[in-house]
Amino acid sequence: MRVKVVCVGGGPAGLYLAILLKRRNPSHDITVHERAPEGSTYGWGVTYWQGLMDRLRAHDPESADAIARNSVHWHEGVAHVRDSSTRQPGDQGSGIGRHRLLELLAERARTLGVRLEFTSEITAPPAGADLVVAADGIGSALRTRYAEAFGTHVTHGRNHFLWLGTTKVFDAFTFAFVETPHGWIWAYGYPYDTGHSTCVIECSPETLTGLGLHSADEGDGLALLEHLFADLLDGHPLIGRASDGTSVPWLNFRTLTNRTWHHDGLVLLGDAAHTTHYSIGAGTTLALEDAMCLATALQEHPALPDALAAYEKRRRSELLSAQSAARYSARWYESLPRYIELPPHRMFALLGQRHSPLLPYVPPQLYYGLDKAAGQLEPLRRLKRWLGPRAARALHAARTPGRSR
């Protein structure tokens, strides 16, 4: 059956959905609208893991191969704390420039016959479309138009962050924690091509204001950050967003949820539907997986309402683990003083365990010992996996004032 689909938003989710739908049925009439000019995307690199690449190859080998050829890879993680460092092996991670990723997806979409309309802003569902896909990010104009119907809810994280690039090419996924007179500030870094890395800076609001970063213009702010992270950067500059001399745009992460993801013939995709804290590095992965799921649901269910309901039900279930990991990961960084004085190798081990629902309720040294023992004894490892969420719920209930017992 031929359908007319309008995708609003030319990011990875919208482009990849268009690719999958057109690949499965070339007769579909599919247009992607992007409000910005082609090639003007803001952002540095995105990261993904091998599991995503396996799923991309299963859905569209051509785009998967193009992405793999343009990615860089690492197999270790390294953490710098004051003057100490620790390095540990890990699963293969990969990075690709956001601009390059969008180029590859746009080229693949055009090859398949998808129409791409740039500098085309859509704020209301176009007439005549069988399906309108809102893939226009957390600030989605279409979702905002029907916010009451979708039941949109946004919460703001406590810490502040800044997304930057650098010409320092890290050889591993890199963490650096720097102590200042106003508290700790830290960076996450990973390479995304042969000449650049992403570098995300984060700190508490007290540290931000204490250092004066909240009011610094871009030049002064980047100069201060380069000074603070001089050992990490090895003389390489940090690269900010081109600006007009205004303050550096420090942000609080916004966690967005919706009561429902579809309304009539309008469906939400990627960050328009849900967001997960950047510290788990899954935003682009989850958006692409949304596209895979929606394309499959539309193929398996001839009736559009059934397809959209199946898509939402499946993706909500699949996202539970990632959303839990993101909440606890953000909480770990917001509670950094609880962990930062541990020996570096122990701190790094608990950094790797930051998704655990039990960790916030157990003394860090004790948790480290339990985790190390669990790594050596399979029965204890199974008990830890089973006990963690249950114990966390019980401890949270006991600490919540006014909660009925």
Side-chain angles (χ1 to χ4, degrees):
M1 180 178 67
R2 182 178 185 272
V3 296
K4 182 175 182 179
V5 180
V6 173
C7 292
V8 181
L15 287 171
Y16 196 61
L17 176 67
I19 289 167
L20 296 184
L21 294 178
K22 195 70 171 176
R23 184 174 185 266
R24 295 178 184 191
N25 189 337
S27 71
H28 287 333
D29 181 349
I30 303 175
T31 305
V32 176
H33 294 266
E34 168 55 48
R35 65 181 181 179
E38 185 167 8
S40 64
T41 183
Y42 169 66
W44 308 107
V46 299
T47 184
Y48 65 90
W49 309 93
Q50 186 59 42
L52 175 68
M53 182 53 63
D54 294 339
R55 290 186 285 278
L56 292 174
R57 283 207 168 92
H59 284 267
D60 182 35
E62 288 83 356
S63 58
D65 289 343
I67 291 169
R69 287 194 303 270
N70 286 271
S71 297
V72 296
H73 312 284
W74 60 85
H75 302 269
E76 293 182 311
V78 59
H80 305 279
V81 183
R82 295 193 181 99
D83 297 327
S84 300
S85 299
T86 183
R87 183 179 290 263
Q88 293 184 3
D91 297 333
Q92 177 179 292
S94 302
I96 183 171
R98 179 176 171 82
H99 185 274
R100 184 58 178 147
L101 174 62
L102 295 180
E103 282 184 336
L104 296 172
L105 294 178
E107 180 181 351
R108 176 64 173 152
R110 284 193 173 108
T111 299
L112 292 170
V114 175
R115 285 191 301 277
L116 304 183
E117 301 288 345
F118 291 91
T119 62
S120 176
E121 186 166 11
I122 304 295
T123 58
D130 299 298
L131 177 64
V132 179
V133 181
D136 47 347
I138 189 172
S140 170
L142 287 176
R143 190 203 61 241
T144 301
R145 184 183 183 94
Y146 300 100
E148 186 174 346
F150 285 115
T152 304
H153 179 68
V154 178
T155 59
H156 291 79
R158 182 175 188 274
N159 285 353
H160 295 266
F161 71 96
L162 184 63
W163 210 273
L164 300 170
T166 178
T167 55
K168 165 69 177 180
V169 180
F170 301 114
D171 65 351
F173 200 106
T174 301
F175 305 88
F177 299 86
V178 174
E179 189 175 21
T180 80
H182 305 284
W184 289 86
I185 186 169
W186 54 95
Y188 318 76
Y190 56 87
Y192 65 83
D193 63 26
T194 57
H196 298 88
S197 297
T198 296
C199 192
V200 184
I201 313 293
E202 182 179 346
C203 64
S204 71
E206 294 83 7
T207 301
L208 186 78
T209 55
L211 292 171
L213 288 167
H214 65 299
S215 59
D217 64 28
E218 183 169 76
D220 290 342
L222 293 182
L224 176 55
L225 293 173
E226 288 169 355
H227 172 72
L228 291 171
F229 292 100
D231 291 341
L232 175 71
L233 296 171
D234 293 330
H236 289 267
L238 290 169
I239 308 168
R241 186 173 186 171
S243 69
D244 56 3
T246 57
S247 297
V248 175
W250 289 86
L251 303 172
N252 299 92
F253 186 80
R254 293 173 288 170
T255 299
L256 178 141
T257 59
N258 289 279
R259 185 179 60 250
T260 182
W261 294 1
H262 60 93
H263 172 63
D264 294 335
L266 174 62
V267 64
L268 306 179
L269 198 69
D271 282 354
H274 53 82
T275 61
T276 55
H277 195 262
Y278 54 83
S279 63
I280 68 168
T284 299
T285 292
L286 297 178
L288 292 171
E289 289 175 346
D290 281 359
M292 297 176 204
C293 184
L294 180 55
T296 300
L298 290 168
Q299 183 179 39
E300 293 177 348
H301 300 272
L304 182 61
D306 293 341
L308 299 185
Y311 154 69
E312 178 174 340
K313 181 179 179 180
R314 178 181 167 190
R315 282 305 287 156
R316 280 191 184 277
S317 176
E318 292 173 343
L319 280 165
L320 289 174
S321 177
Q323 289 172 330
S324 174
R327 286 194 302 272
Y328 285 106
S329 180
R331 183 173 178 178
W332 193 94
Y333 288 105
E334 291 174 354
S335 307
L336 183 68
R338 187 172 188 260
Y339 307 102
I340 197 66
E341 298 300 338
L342 293 171
H345 69 284
R346 295 193 175 193
M347 190 279 294
F348 197 17
L350 295 191
L351 174 63
Q353 289 288 311
R354 66 189 183 278
H355 309 152
S356 166
L358 188 58
L359 180 56
Y361 303 100
V362 176
Q365 289 279 20
L366 175 59
Y367 187 96
Y368 175 82
L370 291 172
D371 184 62
K372 187 174 182 180
Q376 299 170 348
L377 299 171
E378 177 59 29
L380 186 56
R381 185 159 56 246
R382 289 197 300 267
L383 176 63
K384 177 172 169 280
R385 285 197 300 266
W386 178 87
L387 181 62
R390 293 161 179 82
R393 284 195 295 269
L395 289 165
H396 177 74
R399 291 186 179 186
T400 303
R403 187 182 180 95
S404 59
R405 304 184 189 282

